[in-house]
Amino acid sequence: VLTQPPSVSGAPGQRVTITCTGSSSNIGAPYDVYWYHVLPGTAPKVVMYANTNRPSGVPDRFSGSKSDTSASLAITGLQAEDEGDYYCQSYDSSLSGWVFGGGTKLTVL
Amino acid sequence: VQLQESGPELVKPSETLSLTCAVSGYSITSGFYWGWIRQPPGKGLEWIGSIHHNGNTYYSSSLRSRVTISVDTSRNQFSLRLSSVTAADTAVYYCARQECSGGGCYPQYYYMDVWGKGTTVTVSS
């Protein structure tokens, strides 16, 4: 339902963007988008809520945006600790439930 | 707020998977949705279902026929039952609190703000 690129990568200090493409029944409805960071063996952690809002403790290197049926998570000044899997999430009116993207693996080179 | 999943690590095919999520630091009846999410090996996150503090439930369309989520207010916990399991149900199962981010707190404004550590369930004979 939500489509993400399988992987992105960047060198330390660089900027990367992870996209999340949906449809008129979710992101384009318009419903808000949320982003989670998952490290192996650990619980997911929300890094962006309601499209553009950072929870306390998340560095301002993280930013979110949304337009029409897509959303993006941008990370500037890449650090090794940013590695892991990132998932977008929204609500879908056709499915009457919450949906996740397929996940994007971020590698810091 | 802390959430802790518990339940059998191994379930036989065709049987029912049962997990419980104990909530501490917050009364489950005070608000929010409470949800279950899973991650099969090598795959992404999949929302299973959620229960509102008033008892209303939402289930994934792909799992609706097999899923039941309930709340035990006396123990401040909520539970997941998934029937007729197969190997495809092998996954790490997470419970999570779903917080409202605004907008009148309709379902579309909820997200998973607090997660349990997850529990691995394997379906095998």
Side-chain angles (χ1 to χ4, degrees), chain B residues 6-47:
Chain B
S6 62
E9 296 178 356
L10 182 65
V11 181
K12 289 182 169 56
S14 80
E15 295 189 345
T16 296
L17 179 160
S18 294
L19 296 174
T20 296
C21 180
V23 180
S24 58
Y26 188 84
S27 173
I28 206 168
T29 59
S30 296
F32 302 102
Y33 280 93
W34 303 89
W36 288 96
I37 302 97
R38 70 181 182 180
Q39 184 172 25
K43 296 188 177 182
L45 298 173
E46 178 185 19
W47 171 71

Side-chain angles (χ1 to χ4, degrees), chain A residues 4 34-38 44-48 73 85-90 99-100 104, chain B residues 45 97-98 110-115:
Chain A
Q4 300 179 233
Y34 307 85
W35 292 90
Y36 303 88
H37 180 206
V38 184
K45 170 190 170 186
V46 58
V47 295
M48 196 66 57
L73 177 71
D85 297 323
Y86 289 83
Y87 292 86
C88 61
Q89 175 250 305
S90 187
V99 291
F100 287 95
T104 298
Chain B
L45 298 173
R97 186 182 76 171
Q98 291 177 254
Y110 281 84
Y111 68 105
M112 294 77 177
D113 72 323
V114 181
W115 296 67

Side-chain angles (χ1 to χ4, degrees), chain B residues 25-84:
Chain B
Y26 188 84
S27 173
I28 206 168
T29 59
S30 296
F32 302 102
Y33 280 93
W34 303 89
W36 288 96
I37 302 97
R38 70 181 182 180
Q39 184 172 25
K43 296 188 177 182
L45 298 173
E46 178 185 19
W47 171 71
I48 299 170
S50 301
I51 188 164
H52 194 255
H53 68 92
N54 63 11
N56 289 343
T57 52
Y58 287 77
Y59 298 134
S60 164
S61 58
S62 63
L63 297 171
R64 180 173 292 125
S65 62
R66 299 194 291 131
V67 173
T68 303
I69 296 176
S70 59
V71 167
D72 184 340
T73 56
S74 64
R75 297 184 178 184
N76 209 43
Q77 63 187 31
F78 61 106
S79 299
L80 168 71
R81 287 174 57 86
L82 181 65
S83 64
S84 305

Side-chain angles (χ1 to χ4, degrees), chain A residues 1 6 11 14 22 56 61 64-65 85 87 90 104 107:
Chain A
V1 178
Q14 285 191 333
S56 60
R61 302 184 293 104
S65 64
D85 297 323
Y87 292 86
S90 187
T104 298
T107 301

